[in-house]
Amino acid sequence: MPLKVAAFYQFAALPDFRELREPLRAICTGLGLKGSVLLAQEGINGTVAGPAGGIDALVIELQRGALFGGRLDNLELKFSRSSELPFQRMKVRLKKEIVTLGAAVDPTRQVGSYVEPADWNALLAAPDTLVIDTRNEFEVAMGTFEGALDPGIKSFGQFKEFAAQKLDPAKHRKIAMFCTGGIRCEKASAYLLAQGFDEVYHLKGGILRYLEGVPEAQSRWRGECFVFDERVALGHDLVEYKDLREHNDLREYKNE
């Protein structure tokens, strides 16, 4: 029976994130789930897999349960399937940031304009738009959108240096960004706005939401989308690329 996979994140104030760790791990384990969840003062970021009933119960707990007390009421969620369990254990880790940029930005206060997947192609086609892939060069090499700029970074933390060296608010007046699930481009959009860029957009739900909702015949995506679990990569309709799963050099890649 196919297993259900949930990828989720939300920027939300969690000053008690350290106290949330063990109760959350116990809930996931009790539901028969495996995966990885990051907790930080700025929010939550995770991917877990298991029986569909367990995944559904966890989502209800995150959104409406007592543990988070309604603080995850705007959780960005994406579901997919896996033929095998793509994780070996259940980990809940404490971090300084749920996605590492190394800059003091708060997406709950200021963030770029969200673009729904159905509207993304039109933005890509606009001649005055600079489209930036905020993922690292390994992921970009596996697949990206037509015409997108590859920043050539090895980790998301290097996005600040890329922006300082290659982007200019006076020249680049309209910027659109994307990433795997939406979390990196959301934080990058907050950072660019803080640096004086006026018109900043980002793909809501990321590449995964686009591949899930946009018909392949209309797609501007080329290649595969790398994911941080043992499925390695997903394509349109979030179908896993089984022929890539045996490549150990890809499977071992865990750079944020």
Side-chain angles (χ1 to χ4, degrees):
M1 178 181 296
L3 298 166
K4 192 170 185 177
V5 183
F8 54 87
Y9 80 88
Q10 183 178 335
F11 289 101
L14 300 178
D16 57 339
F17 72 99
R18 292 180 178 84
E19 288 71 39
L20 298 171
R21 180 184 188 179
E22 286 307 315
L24 179 58
R25 186 192 64 78
I27 289 171
C28 292
T29 301
L31 293 171
L33 307 180
K34 292 185 179 181
S36 178
V37 179
L38 305 182
L39 288 171
Q41 187 160 326
E42 68 175 4
I44 188 171
N45 179 21
T47 304
V48 296
I55 292 292
D56 295 343
L58 175 64
V59 170
I60 292 173
E61 176 62 39
L62 293 174
Q63 294 177 320
R64 303 197 294 271
L67 183 60
F68 289 92
R71 290 176 291 178
L72 300 183
D73 58 347
N74 194 32
L75 199 66
E76 176 63 42
L77 273 165
K78 284 167 290 296
F79 298 109
S80 57
R81 298 286 179 178
S82 179
S83 58
E84 300 174 9
L85 198 61
F87 300 98
Q88 299 302 314
R89 53 180 176 162
M90 186 66 231
K91 298 184 291 184
V92 179
R93 295 184 290 167
L94 304 180
K95 305 280 283 186
K96 291 183 179 180
E97 302 176 72
I98 54 174
V99 58
T100 304
L101 180 61
V105 295
D106 184 357
T108 65
R109 294 180 178 272
Q110 179 177 243
V111 72
S113 300
Y114 296 97
V115 181
E116 294 292 339
D119 301 320
W120 183 247
N121 285 357
L123 191 60
L124 289 179
D128 59 341
T129 304
L130 175 64
V131 182
I132 303 174
D133 192 330
T134 64
R135 303 171 305 151
N136 60 61
E137 57 187 6
F138 179 93
E139 296 170 271
V140 176
M142 290 187 68
T144 191
F145 284 105
E146 291 178 358
L149 174 64
D150 175 7
I153 57 179
K154 295 185 181 301
S155 68
F156 182 60
Q158 295 177 344
F159 183 83
K160 305 186 304 297
E161 287 71 27
F162 159 76
Q165 295 172 11
K166 303 295 184 180
L167 302 181
D168 182 351
K171 179 181 178 182
H172 304 110
R173 297 184 178 275
K174 187 176 181 180
I175 294 176
M177 296 182 291
F178 63 92
C179 60
T180 305
I183 187 170
R184 282 178 281 186
C185 53
E186 185 166 340
K187 199 165 193 180
S189 75
Y191 177 76
L192 290 187
L193 289 172
Q195 302 306 306
F197 292 84
D198 292 328
E199 198 172 353
V200 182
Y201 301 86
H202 51 106
L203 178 59
K204 184 172 177 58
I207 301 163
L208 295 181
R209 182 78 73 193
Y210 181 92
L211 294 178
E212 180 182 37
V214 175
E216 188 170 0
Q218 302 172 18
S219 177
R220 296 285 299 276
W221 175 261
R222 297 295 179 265
E224 297 84 42
C225 180
F226 178 81
V227 289
F228 293 87
D229 59 58
E230 293 187 9
R231 293 173 298 172
V232 178
L234 301 179
H236 284 88
D237 296 322
L238 302 187
V239 174
E240 61 182 301
Y241 278 76
K242 296 182 180 180
D243 57 328
L244 294 178
R245 290 169 55 208
E246 297 303 319
H247 289 199
N248 291 330
D249 56 329
L250 303 186
R251 184 179 298 192
E252 294 170 0
Y253 187 81
K254 299 296 180 183
N255 196 339
E256 291 183 348

